[in-house]
PDB file of all heavy atoms in Angstrom:
ATOM      1  N   ARG A  13      -4.617  22.365 -12.118  1.00 90.00           N
ATOM      2  CA  ARG A  13      -3.335  23.055 -12.316  1.00 90.00           C
ATOM      3  C   ARG A  13      -2.133  22.147 -12.054  1.00 90.00           C
ATOM      4  O   ARG A  13      -1.008  22.476 -12.399  1.00 90.00           O
ATOM      5  CB  ARG A  13      -3.239  24.293 -11.405  1.00 90.00           C
ATOM      6  CG  ARG A  13      -4.019  25.481 -11.913  1.00 90.00           C
ATOM      7  CD  ARG A  13      -4.227  26.495 -10.846  1.00 90.00           C
ATOM      8  NE  ARG A  13      -5.078  25.923  -9.765  1.00 90.00           N
ATOM      9  CZ  ARG A  13      -5.364  26.524  -8.649  1.00 90.00           C
ATOM     10  NH1 ARG A  13      -4.891  27.703  -8.407  1.00 90.00           N
ATOM     11  NH2 ARG A  13      -6.119  25.911  -7.779  1.00 90.00           N
ATOM     12  N   LYS A  23      -5.189  14.900  -6.312  1.00 88.00           N
ATOM     13  CA  LYS A  23      -4.190  15.791  -5.718  1.00 88.00           C
ATOM     14  C   LYS A  23      -3.841  15.460  -4.268  1.00 88.00           C
ATOM     15  O   LYS A  23      -2.679  15.466  -3.886  1.00 88.00           O
ATOM     16  CB  LYS A  23      -4.640  17.263  -5.844  1.00 88.00           C
ATOM     17  CG  LYS A  23      -3.659  18.281  -5.344  1.00 88.00           C
ATOM     18  CD  LYS A  23      -3.927  19.670  -5.871  1.00 88.00           C
ATOM     19  CE  LYS A  23      -5.200  20.318  -5.364  1.00 88.00           C
ATOM     20  NZ  LYS A  23      -5.281  21.780  -5.652  1.00 88.00           N
ATOM     21  N   ASN A 104      -7.764  23.270   3.421  1.00 95.00           N
ATOM     22  CA  ASN A 104      -7.655  22.989   2.011  1.00 95.00           C
ATOM     23  C   ASN A 104      -6.737  21.740   1.899  1.00 95.00           C
ATOM     24  O   ASN A 104      -5.670  21.712   2.513  1.00 95.00           O
ATOM     25  CB  ASN A 104      -6.998  24.137   1.247  1.00 95.00           C
ATOM     26  CG  ASN A 104      -8.014  25.274   1.009  1.00 95.00           C
ATOM     27  OD1 ASN A 104      -9.172  25.151   1.349  1.00 95.00           O
ATOM     28  ND2 ASN A 104      -7.515  26.361   0.480  1.00 95.00           N
ATOM     29  N   ASP A 106      -4.541  20.819   0.019  1.00 93.00           N
ATOM     30  CA  ASP A 106      -3.318  20.947  -0.781  1.00 93.00           C
ATOM     31  C   ASP A 106      -2.323  21.912  -0.139  1.00 93.00           C
ATOM     32  O   ASP A 106      -1.420  22.412  -0.845  1.00 93.00           O
ATOM     33  CB  ASP A 106      -3.618  21.383  -2.207  1.00 93.00           C
ATOM     34  CG  ASP A 106      -4.302  22.732  -2.297  1.00 93.00           C
ATOM     35  OD1 ASP A 106      -4.678  23.307  -1.257  1.00 93.00           O
ATOM     36  OD2 ASP A 106      -4.454  23.240  -3.421  1.00 93.00           O
ATOM     37  N   VAL A 107      -2.468  22.202   1.149  1.00 96.00           N
ATOM     38  CA  VAL A 107      -1.508  23.122   1.751  1.00 96.00           C
ATOM     39  C   VAL A 107      -0.575  22.346   2.702  1.00 96.00           C
ATOM     40  O   VAL A 107      -0.986  21.540   3.509  1.00 96.00           O
ATOM     41  CB  VAL A 107      -2.179  24.334   2.488  1.00 96.00           C
ATOM     42  CG1 VAL A 107      -2.852  25.214   1.482  1.00 96.00           C
ATOM     43  CG2 VAL A 107      -3.144  23.879   3.538  1.00 96.00           C
ATOM     44  N   TYR A 140      -4.113  33.872  -4.792  1.00 95.00           N
ATOM     45  CA  TYR A 140      -4.667  33.400  -3.488  1.00 95.00           C
ATOM     46  C   TYR A 140      -5.850  34.293  -3.108  1.00 95.00           C
ATOM     47  O   TYR A 140      -6.303  35.142  -3.893  1.00 95.00           O
ATOM     48  CB  TYR A 140      -3.605  33.469  -2.455  1.00 95.00           C
ATOM     49  CG  TYR A 140      -2.355  32.694  -2.782  1.00 95.00           C
ATOM     50  CD1 TYR A 140      -1.209  33.328  -3.326  1.00 95.00           C
ATOM     51  CD2 TYR A 140      -2.284  31.331  -2.573  1.00 95.00           C
ATOM     52  CE1 TYR A 140      -0.076  32.595  -3.639  1.00 95.00           C
ATOM     53  CE2 TYR A 140      -1.160  30.590  -2.887  1.00 95.00           C
ATOM     54  CZ  TYR A 140      -0.038  31.223  -3.412  1.00 95.00           C
ATOM     55  OH  TYR A 140       1.073  30.524  -3.731  1.00 95.00           O
ATOM     56  N   ASP A 217       1.253  25.974  -1.012  1.00 94.00           N
ATOM     57  CA  ASP A 217       0.167  25.283  -1.739  1.00 94.00           C
ATOM     58  C   ASP A 217       0.831  24.419  -2.785  1.00 94.00           C
ATOM     59  O   ASP A 217       1.613  24.943  -3.633  1.00 94.00           O
ATOM     60  CB  ASP A 217      -0.747  26.363  -2.391  1.00 94.00           C
ATOM     61  CG  ASP A 217      -1.890  25.755  -3.218  1.00 94.00           C
ATOM     62  OD1 ASP A 217      -1.689  24.663  -3.792  1.00 94.00           O
ATOM     63  OD2 ASP A 217      -2.922  26.395  -3.314  1.00 94.00           O
ATOM     64  N   ILE A 218       0.613  23.107  -2.774  1.00 94.00           N
ATOM     65  CA  ILE A 218       1.382  22.198  -3.650  1.00 94.00           C
ATOM     66  C   ILE A 218       0.708  22.047  -5.020  1.00 94.00           C
ATOM     67  O   ILE A 218       1.073  21.164  -5.777  1.00 94.00           O
ATOM     68  CB  ILE A 218       1.534  20.794  -3.027  1.00 94.00           C
ATOM     69  CG1 ILE A 218       0.131  20.157  -2.830  1.00 94.00           C
ATOM     70  CG2 ILE A 218       2.314  20.873  -1.751  1.00 94.00           C
ATOM     71  CD1 ILE A 218       0.124  18.652  -3.006  1.00 94.00           C
ATOM     72  N   GLY A 219      -0.247  22.926  -5.330  1.00 92.00           N
ATOM     73  CA  GLY A 219      -1.135  22.720  -6.467  1.00 92.00           C
ATOM     74  C   GLY A 219      -0.653  22.989  -7.869  1.00 92.00           C
ATOM     75  O   GLY A 219      -1.448  22.939  -8.808  1.00 92.00           O
TER      76      GLY A 219
HETATM   77 MG1   MG B   2      -4.834  25.227  -3.989  1.00 91.05          MG
END
Side-chain angles (χ1 to χ4, degrees):
R13 282 163 296 175
K23 183 163 67 168
N104 283 355
D106 62 351
V107 294
Y140 304 98
D217 177 329
I218 61 146

